[in-house]
Amino acid sequence: PKTAAGGPPPQQKLQPSQTPPPQPEKNPPAEEDSAMVVFSGMVVSFFFHIFVVVPFGILTTFITFAAAILLLALVWLYLADQHGVLSLGGISPPGHLFNPPGLV
């Protein structure tokens, strides 16, 4: 209810025998919150590292080595072309001579 002047009602004064009811604590202490946040962040980070970062690193390393080995094999086959076998569509095994000297 408003007063006749239209302002807010005056504050009621408490009698000496009346004490305000105790207010429940709304927030726990900040130390408990920060410790829980740090701990949960460490747990999430640990599982993220184990299940995402490590497998991704292994996969990346595997793909890199596979590509390097494939490139090395292709270069080796290109350089080991014996008597134009590669131009005929075949691959000559190393050490195999299709036209050894002295047969013709």
Side-chain angles (χ1 to χ4, degrees), residues 27-43:
N27 296 324
E31 294 86 21
E32 293 176 13
D33 282 346
S34 62
M36 185 58 92
V37 167
V38 168
F39 178 73
S40 61
M42 288 173 59
V43 169

Side-chain angles (χ1 to χ4, degrees), residues 47-67:
F47 282 110
F48 178 78
H49 188 76
I50 293 296
F51 291 113
V52 175
V53 174
V54 171
F56 184 74
I58 291 171
L59 182 67
T60 304
T61 304
F62 176 76
I63 290 173
T64 302
F65 278 123

